[in-house]
Structure formats: C-alpha cells, structure tokens
Amino acid sequence: MTICRKAIDELQIINANGDVRICGWSNDNFIGNIFNDDIPAIMHSDRAAALFKPLFDKTYDNCPVDQCPYLANQSMDEHLISIDEIPDYPKTLLLAYEGICNYQCPYCSSFQHMIDTQNKDLTVQYDNLAKRLEQVLPHIHHIGANGKGELFCSKHILQLLNSWKPMAPASEVQVTLETNGSLFNEANWLKIENLGQYKLNVMVTVASFDERTYKCLHGTKTSLDRVFDNLRFIKNLREKETINYLEIATVVQELNFREMPEFTKRCLDEFGADCVRLRPINPAGGCVDKNIAWFWDVRNTEHPYNGLYKDVMAHPIFSHPKVLLWSGNHDSSLGVHPGKKLSNIHSVMAAILDRDDLLGQLAERMAQTEICLYGLGLLGKLIVKENKGVFQIKKILDKYANLSEYQGILVEKPTNPCHHAVLVTTYACFGEINNELRKKGFHGKIYNIFELMDGICN
C-alpha cells in the first residue's frame, strides 16, 4: 500500500485541549484527542481509517490544491511511501499548541487561536499535555515545532525540546524549527542547543525585506535590522553545519509580490537559504473581514493587479532549483469579490420569490425533474422551501454541511456517485465543481443555476 507521507507519518498536536490532526493542509484532518486516547489507539481508530481511505485510494477528496504543494506541483508521487500496515506511532510529531506570538500578522491562520488563548491561564493543561507527550516522544524520530505562534515565545514547547530523549540513535533523529526569526538569536539558541546533535532543519518566515511592508504585514514595531542580524546568525550555524537545512519562507500577497524577485535573490545569496518557499496567501485564514481580505490574493484572476503579478512571477529566478513555488503557479480559485457574489445570489433568490413559475422554467430548461441539489447555502435552502413539487430532489450534496438531512432530504458529501442531474447552487468555480463530480463518478448532466437564470431572465 502507498500513501502520502504527511498523512501517515505525521501527527500534529494543535491546542491545549490535546486535539490531534493529520496533515494541516487538508480540509478534514482531526483524528482524535491525546487526553481521550493514546497515540496507537488514535492511529488505529475508525476515524483514522476514514481519513486514510481517500489517501490510499489516491482520490485526495479532502486535499485542496491551493493548500498542498505536492498536488499543486504535480509531485505527489515523490512523497508517497509504502507501508504494510498502519504504524502505532508516526515518525513525525508536530508541536503546535501553545498559541503565543510576538507578532500580529493579520493574514495568519492561527490568529484567532492566539486571540482565544491570550487571556487564559492554560498552565495546568500544558503541564498535563506534557505528561501525556512524555509517553509518546521517546518513540518519535522527528519533532517539528512552531508553537502555532512563535516558537521562542512558546516556553512549554521549548522545555519539551530541551528535555527530549528519543530512543532512536541521534543519527536517525530530526528536528524542524519554524520561527519568524525575530527571536532566533544566540541567547535563545543556547536554550535548545542540545538539538544541534540531530539533523536540524530551520524554517524562517519573513513577510518582506522592506521595513514598512515588514512592519505592516507582521503587525509589529520590531526593526527589520534585528531579523537581518538573526538571519546572519542562523546562516553562521548553517555554515558550521549545526543547522543542516535552512528554508526562508514568505506568504505572497498584494502588498509584497512586487519585491519577490529581489527577496528571493537575497535569501539565496545573502542569507544562504537551501530553499526559498513562496507560499500563496489564504484569505480565509486571517482575522480581517473577507471583503477586505479578498484584495490580498493577487493570484486571483479577478484581482485588479493579477496581470502585474503574473508579469512579476515570470522572472527567471523562480526557476531556480532552490525555489519552491508552493502554488505551482496556479491561479487561485477565490473568484469574484464577496460583495458581488452575494449580490448575484440575492438576485437569483429574489427572482425565485418574485416569480411563481421560475422553478418550473428551470426544470423545463434543464428537461429534468429528478435532481440532486449541490450546495446547502442560502440559495439551496430557498429552492428546497419553494420547490412545491416541481423537482424531485433525491439528495443534497454539500462538502461542508454538518447536517444529515434538511427538510426531510438526505444531505451528504459528494462522494457517492449517482446518475441524476445535479443543479449547482453555490457561487463558486463551476468548472472545478464539475470536474470534481465527474472524477467521483457522477454521470448525469450538471447545471449551473446562475447560467440557467441568465437564459431565463434574458
């Protein structure tokens, strides 16, 4: 059996409650809780089997291309491993549960987690978590740590790193440290210099090498000169081979994309990076209103600066073997601005409410009455309530719904194919939905309600 390495070889502890997940890039990834079960029980649970199945099947149902660089760069085959059975312990354990940071990056996916924990005394939970982890850590070959914030602010995780005694010989042990670089100086390094005996990977994320942009994107008053000094200190450790691999990363977005060629060159030439990782922004991950966050994503073909972004990213430096374009240079699937999206949805809803015959006209235009409805948002719910027997809705398909039924109609994820026509009611990339359904074996015709409405109302 072969499966993605990150799925079977890596677990993450992501909060003080002890929640455990597999790959953080996937949509559906919570696998258990370390306070409720030990790691072997979690690895062999029914929940784990359900998450592993699409990965063994290579369907990658829960793996969005925008989040997974393996899929985006069509390199998944390079990251598959062969196993005969599910192991009791993963090789890698990522410690990302403390939620403390000296930055306030508005686009950070952990921002809300840090807000939720900043005014709570979680010392007891962290101590209990450390006791549980003491049973696990000797079995681990590779520890990754970022604190789900800034590593060098995460004192409980630093204590675990300092005291870790793996059963494997040092030559077989790895450590990966993720940091924003602002506190990675000699004094803090001495707190965990014991990690230098292992294969040590360091990943430093810096939003910009421009002072003003840097402070804006990191929400900090910290001088960029301090980060430059620390990067030189880290480079020195790399040259001494105390650090075995150095990655400098950034999140590409509207405010910094113009500097990416020069940023990349400095990372390689001045700071000695083994890899420069350019990760696309996830506008849904931060703390800012989605109507504002939409403007961050310049990969979006609807963005006014998308053409300029593509010109910048055509620079030859991005073909350097040490540069990883996380997105594989794919366009983002974000689509039109949320305001325009909502306006179009409301227009269709108003038409359905104003015209008693509209659903009948839809059915006539489709030449279908037996359908599956895709999407249980505002529009999907309205169609169910206003249907009055025009359509025989066999089931409702929704990737994210927590309901098992709505108004007496079965609700399920679009994983079980059927031969009925599908009426898509979500305002998203119809082409992607169509391809996804075809891939999963849906053989009936697939209709976009917004295109149908253009034909009826015009």
Side-chain angles (χ1 to χ4, degrees), residues 97-98 122-123 126-127 154-161:
Y97 57 78
E98 206 154 342
L122 298 173
T123 303
Y126 291 144
D127 289 345
S154 306
K155 63 179 183 179
H156 298 92
I157 290 176
L158 289 174
Q159 288 171 2
L160 281 179
L161 291 173

Side-chain angles (χ1 to χ4, degrees), residues 41-241:
I42 290 173
M43 291 289 289
H44 293 277
S45 67
D46 291 342
R47 172 64 178 162
L51 291 180
F52 294 152
K53 186 179 187 305
L55 296 163
F56 279 123
D57 293 344
K58 311 296 187 297
T59 59
Y60 306 114
D61 292 339
N62 298 318
C63 305
V65 173
D66 265 5
Q67 300 300 317
C68 174
Y70 305 161
L71 291 176
N73 289 280
Q74 299 181 330
S75 62
M76 180 59 79
D77 287 349
E78 301 171 20
H79 302 280
L80 297 177
I81 59 172
S82 297
I83 61 170
D84 296 323
E85 58 184 6
I86 304 296
D88 286 341
Y89 293 93
K91 289 184 178 178
T92 300
L93 184 68
L94 301 184
L95 305 178
Y97 57 78
E98 206 154 342
I100 301 173
C101 193
N102 58 332
Y103 283 179
Q104 291 185 317
C105 310
Y107 54 88
C108 177
S109 60
S110 299
F111 196 95
Q112 189 59 50
H113 172 71
M114 289 185 281
I115 291 174
D116 292 341
T117 60
Q118 65 183 357
N119 295 320
K120 296 179 181 178
D121 183 358
L122 298 173
T123 303
V124 173
Q125 290 95 313
Y126 291 144
D127 289 345
N128 289 337
L129 191 52
K131 291 176 183 177
R132 295 289 290 179
L133 288 171
E134 284 173 3
Q135 305 169 27
V136 181
L137 290 177
H139 300 276
I140 301 301
H141 289 237
H142 180 193
I143 278 188
N146 64 13
K148 204 171 185 181
E150 168 50 36
L151 171 63
F152 288 101
C153 293
S154 306
K155 63 179 183 179
H156 298 92
I157 290 176
L158 289 174
Q159 288 171 2
L160 281 179
L161 291 173
N162 184 263
S163 61
W164 182 37
K165 291 181 173 55
M167 291 191 294
S171 60
E172 298 178 12
V173 175
Q174 284 192 64
V175 179
T176 298
L177 306 179
E178 296 185 49
T179 169
N180 61 39
S182 64
L183 300 173
F184 201 132
N185 51 35
E186 185 173 6
N188 282 325
W189 165 247
L190 291 175
K191 298 176 183 178
I192 53 171
E193 65 176 339
N194 63 299
L195 301 178
Q197 65 183 300
Y198 309 123
K199 180 181 179 183
L200 181 58
N201 313 307
V202 173
M203 300 180 178
V204 185
T205 298
V206 185
S208 173
F209 286 158
D210 172 79
E211 185 81 22
R212 183 176 179 182
T213 305
Y214 167 83
K215 289 181 177 179
C216 177
L217 291 181
H218 283 307
T220 182
K221 294 181 180 180
T222 300
S223 169
L224 191 53
D225 287 338
R226 181 199 291 183
V227 177
F228 288 153
D229 287 344
N230 291 347
L231 283 172
R232 294 184 185 101
F233 171 69
I234 296 168
K235 179 185 179 184
N236 182 257
L237 293 177
R238 176 68 183 97
E239 289 173 342
K240 293 177 179 178
E241 297 189 351

Side-chain angles (χ1 to χ4, degrees), residues 145-405:
N146 64 13
K148 204 171 185 181
E150 168 50 36
L151 171 63
F152 288 101
C153 293
S154 306
K155 63 179 183 179
H156 298 92
I157 290 176
L158 289 174
Q159 288 171 2
L160 281 179
L161 291 173
N162 184 263
S163 61
W164 182 37
K165 291 181 173 55
M167 291 191 294
S171 60
E172 298 178 12
V173 175
Q174 284 192 64
V175 179
T176 298
L177 306 179
E178 296 185 49
T179 169
N180 61 39
S182 64
L183 300 173
F184 201 132
N185 51 35
E186 185 173 6
N188 282 325
W189 165 247
L190 291 175
K191 298 176 183 178
I192 53 171
E193 65 176 339
N194 63 299
L195 301 178
Q197 65 183 300
Y198 309 123
K199 180 181 179 183
L200 181 58
N201 313 307
V202 173
M203 300 180 178
V204 185
T205 298
V206 185
S208 173
F209 286 158
D210 172 79
E211 185 81 22
R212 183 176 179 182
T213 305
Y214 167 83
K215 289 181 177 179
C216 177
L217 291 181
H218 283 307
T220 182
K221 294 181 180 180
T222 300
S223 169
L224 191 53
D225 287 338
R226 181 199 291 183
V227 177
F228 288 153
D229 287 344
N230 291 347
L231 283 172
R232 294 184 185 101
F233 171 69
I234 296 168
K235 179 185 179 184
N236 182 257
L237 293 177
R238 176 68 183 97
E239 289 173 342
K240 293 177 179 178
E241 297 189 351
T242 304
I243 291 174
N244 304 101
Y245 175 85
L246 171 59
E247 180 174 291
I248 303 177
T250 196
V251 178
V252 182
Q253 51 196 291
E254 187 274 330
L255 207 56
N256 69 1
F257 78 91
R258 296 166 184 82
E259 67 173 286
M260 284 302 102
E262 181 61 23
F263 176 93
T264 302
K265 187 175 188 303
R266 289 189 69 182
C267 289
L268 294 170
D269 297 345
E270 185 175 346
F271 301 118
D274 295 289
C275 176
V276 182
R277 172 164 50 96
L278 305 179
R279 184 169 185 169
I281 194 166
N282 176 13
C287 63
V288 175
D289 181 274
K290 64 181 179 181
N291 292 285
I292 298 173
W294 182 90
F295 289 98
W296 294 343
D297 187 3
V298 287
R299 291 189 311 123
N300 182 6
T301 56
E302 299 284 336
H303 195 285
Y305 295 158
N306 179 255
L308 178 58
Y309 163 78
K310 289 183 175 178
D311 289 343
V312 170
M313 298 308 291
H315 195 286
I317 197 167
F318 301 123
S319 298
H320 194 289
K322 291 185 177 181
V323 175
L324 171 61
L325 292 177
W326 184 287
S327 68
N329 249 345
H330 291 288
D331 293 332
S332 127
S333 59
L334 190 60
V336 301
H337 188 272
K340 182 177 180 181
K341 182 186 300 185
L342 189 60
S343 175
N344 289 337
I345 291 172
H346 284 171
S347 295
V348 173
M349 294 175 67
I352 292 172
L353 291 170
D354 289 343
R355 295 174 51 176
D356 292 338
D357 64 336
L358 193 138
L359 290 183
Q361 289 190 49
L362 280 176
E364 184 177 333
R365 187 171 179 82
M366 295 165 59
Q368 307 278 346
T369 55
E370 293 187 353
I371 65 168
C372 294
L373 203 62
Y374 187 103
L376 193 55
L378 291 173
L379 182 53
K381 290 178 178 178
L382 180 65
I383 290 174
V384 171
K385 291 180 178 179
E386 295 294 318
N387 182 34
K388 299 180 175 63
V390 173
F391 292 110
Q392 297 179 47
I393 302 175
K394 297 299 183 179
K395 58 184 173 181
I396 300 169
L397 308 172
D398 196 298
K399 292 173 68 173
Y400 307 111
N402 295 319
L403 303 175
S404 59
E405 64 90 23

